[in-house]
Amino acid sequence: MESSSLMPTYQRMPIMFEKGKGLYLYDTNGNRYTDCVSGISVTNLGHNHPEITRAICEQAEQLIHTSNLFIVPQQQALAARLVELTSMTNAFICNSGAEANEAAIKLARLYGHSKKIDSPRIIVMENAFHGRTLATLSASGSRKVQAGFEPLVKGFVRVPFNDINAIKQVAASDSDVVAVLVEPIQGEGGVRTAHPDYLTQLREICDQQDWLLMLDEIQTGNGRTGRYFSFQHTAITPDVLTTAKALGNGVPIGACLAHKAAANLFQPGNHGTTFGGNPLACHTALKVIDVLHQGDYINNAQRIGRLMLDGFRNQLSGTDYIEDIRGQGLMIGIELTQACKELTALAKEKGIIINVTAEKVIRLLPPLIITEAQALEIVEQLSKLIKVYMGDDRKAPRT
């Protein structure tokens, strides 16, 4: 039972986990659950990874926090590593995805004012999610997130996701636009993937209009889609890139990276953070990056992701209640024709932790350490559960 001392900001499931190992979580009664959510794309290396645990303990024994009034060597090393991985120029290290996106929005505002635009505007997408601070929820495309917090922050122009013509129309009519903020895959919006050439076309328009292209890779980054960042499936480089979630495998950390015109906008006093970039978080993030690459987990995400997509499409073929099965890497969405929130509780009873977003999309974000055998078991179990839930218990073809 949830404590009455907590503000009721979540409708929590009646379950308490006390330990985890790899793909699995264990509740206080000793029951094992297959984790297909990874703390919402956070524990990409699974639970209790020995190298990450060791890195946390090693740094905690030395130094946890000083503040950004001083040089933090681990922070400098992490920024350099992220720049190396992305071909960006520099990084601001913070605590979360919302903070990273807040920094991106502030960079866009500074950029606009540097161009003598008094009220700079940012193009954002319908069904987007960028965080729950006042600015980031204003940038988000969900009335559910925004409701009750009006007046919202001004300066955002909203267009449909994946609609390049809508971007062109804004370019032709609004001279105050200075940037585009977009997720390569809309996670909270229902695992909606960008068209193959969408980001490339956005890059071209931003170059033509002298806008910043800002990519929110809070959920898609750190190996989730089969590249370290999702934009690396293309040939483009953004002007601003945000990441968080899996960067610390559960230790809170985020980063806002900048390039070209965006790289020198922040100056001393423009932005800051008390806890961001402390030695503990940065040392852990460096180890996460090393382990992700050394273990070939990023390629595994791409390979196992294809296996799971094919498996679900095979198991659920011929049904009339599947709207779409889509995704990239180990970011998978199964869209039903009706709302299916109850599936999270039903799956829990079967020992599987899943998430439903956008009312009717089963979102799967298993750890990148998942094996082929584990993936096929998830496909088999979840496909059967969907069939029963939808009143269709016919045997599905095996993968």
Side-chain angles (χ1 to χ4, degrees):
M1 181 175 293
E2 186 170 352
S3 168
S4 60
S5 299
L6 287 171
M7 289 186 183
T9 54
Y10 289 90
Q11 290 184 330
R12 303 176 198 266
M13 297 183 73
I15 184 171
M16 292 182 287
F17 298 116
E18 65 177 4
K19 65 178 181 179
K21 184 67 175 177
L23 187 68
Y24 303 108
L25 286 165
Y26 299 83
D27 68 15
T28 50
N29 295 316
N31 299 310
R32 191 183 81 169
Y33 300 82
T34 302
D35 185 0
C36 295
V37 179
S38 301
I40 315 181
S41 197
V42 169
T43 53
N44 280 9
L45 289 171
H47 300 283
N48 196 22
H49 191 288
E51 291 189 64
I52 306 307
T53 300
R54 187 158 51 248
I56 293 170
C57 292
E58 288 172 351
Q59 187 58 50
E61 288 179 344
Q62 296 297 316
L63 184 65
I64 293 176
H65 178 77
T66 56
S67 93
N68 284 300
L69 296 175
F70 310 100
I71 294 170
V72 181
Q74 297 88 345
Q75 185 180 148
Q76 292 183 320
L78 176 60
R81 189 78 170 97
L82 289 170
V83 164
E84 176 190 10
L85 286 167
T86 59
S87 298
M88 301 292 280
T89 302
N90 52 23
F92 173 78
I93 310 298
C94 52
N95 302 288
S96 68
E99 288 183 41
N101 283 335
E102 192 85 16
I105 292 167
K106 290 179 72 172
L107 283 173
R109 293 281 184 94
L110 280 173
Y111 179 65
H113 287 294
S114 75
K115 298 175 66 177
K116 310 302 182 186
I117 297 174
D118 291 333
S119 300
R121 288 151 66 86
I122 302 169
I123 295 176
V124 292
M125 307 301 152
E126 294 177 0
N127 301 312
F129 182 81
H130 298 294
R132 292 183 181 273
T133 65
L134 200 53
T136 56
L137 71 83
S138 297
S140 297
S142 168
R143 279 302 301 154
K144 183 178 179 180
V145 170
Q146 296 170 344
F149 298 107
E150 297 85 355
L152 301 178
V153 175
K154 296 180 180 180
F156 298 103
V157 182
R158 198 169 310 283
V159 301
F161 182 59
N162 264 334
D163 187 343
I164 206 70
N165 287 327
I167 303 287
K168 292 179 179 179
Q169 289 173 11
V170 174
S173 62
D174 193 334
S175 60
D176 286 339
V177 169
V178 297
V180 176
L181 175 60
V182 62
E183 303 158 277
I185 302 176
Q186 292 187 330
E188 299 298 323
V191 194
R192 302 190 183 279
T193 60
H195 295 321
D197 59 349
Y198 183 64
L199 293 185
T200 301
Q201 290 177 313
L202 282 180
R203 177 72 276 175
E204 292 171 356
I205 292 173
C206 287
D207 288 341
Q208 292 165 3
Q209 299 295 324
D210 198 26
W211 296 345
L212 300 179
L213 176 58
M214 309 197 302
L215 299 186
D216 176 344
E217 294 231 29
I218 307 303
Q219 192 166 144
T220 55
N222 304 290
R224 173 57 56 186
T225 70
R227 294 285 189 273
Y228 199 82
F229 286 103
S230 184
F231 81 85
Q232 292 168 330
H233 290 282
T234 74
I236 72 161
T237 300
D239 299 298
V240 179
L241 173 69
T242 59
T243 184
K245 286 190 179 288
L247 182 58
N249 207 61
V251 173
I253 188 169
C256 177
L257 286 81
H259 189 47
K260 292 187 176 179
N264 297 309
L265 292 168
F266 277 156
Q267 297 299 317
N270 285 150
H271 200 47
T273 170
T274 296
F275 296 105
N278 70 37
L280 179 67
C282 290
H283 183 74
T284 304
L286 282 164
K287 179 56 68 174
V288 168
I289 292 171
D290 287 343
V291 173
L292 277 170
H293 286 87
Q294 293 166 3
D296 201 36
Y297 296 123
I298 298 173
N299 288 332
N300 190 60
Q302 191 169 63
R303 182 177 65 87
I304 299 296
R306 281 197 299 263
L307 179 73
M308 294 184 75
L309 278 174
D310 290 344
F312 281 119
R313 287 166 179 161
N314 184 30
Q315 292 273 3
L316 298 170
S317 64
T319 60
D320 58 2
Y321 46 76
I322 299 295
E323 190 75 36
D324 193 19
I325 299 173
R326 56 181 176 262
Q328 190 172 45
L330 285 171
M331 191 170 180
I332 297 169
I334 304 170
E335 183 174 0
L336 305 187
T337 55
Q338 67 181 55
C340 58
K341 287 285 186 181
E342 299 88 350
L343 266 173
T344 58
L346 295 174
K348 178 182 74 70
E349 296 303 315
K350 298 293 184 181
I352 308 171
I353 302 300
I354 64 170
N355 171 244
V356 172
T357 188
E359 301 298 332
K360 59 178 184 175
V361 180
I362 302 165
R363 176 174 52 173
L364 301 177
L365 303 161
L368 277 55
I369 61 169
I370 189 172
T371 66
E372 182 174 323
Q374 290 170 331
L376 291 175
E377 183 178 7
I378 291 168
V379 169
E380 182 79 14
Q381 292 178 327
L382 191 53
S383 296
K384 288 180 178 178
L385 184 62
I386 293 170
K387 284 178 171 286
V388 171
Y389 177 75
M390 297 302 293
D392 176 9
D393 57 359
R394 294 172 295 175
K395 286 185 177 282
R398 289 186 174 274
T399 55

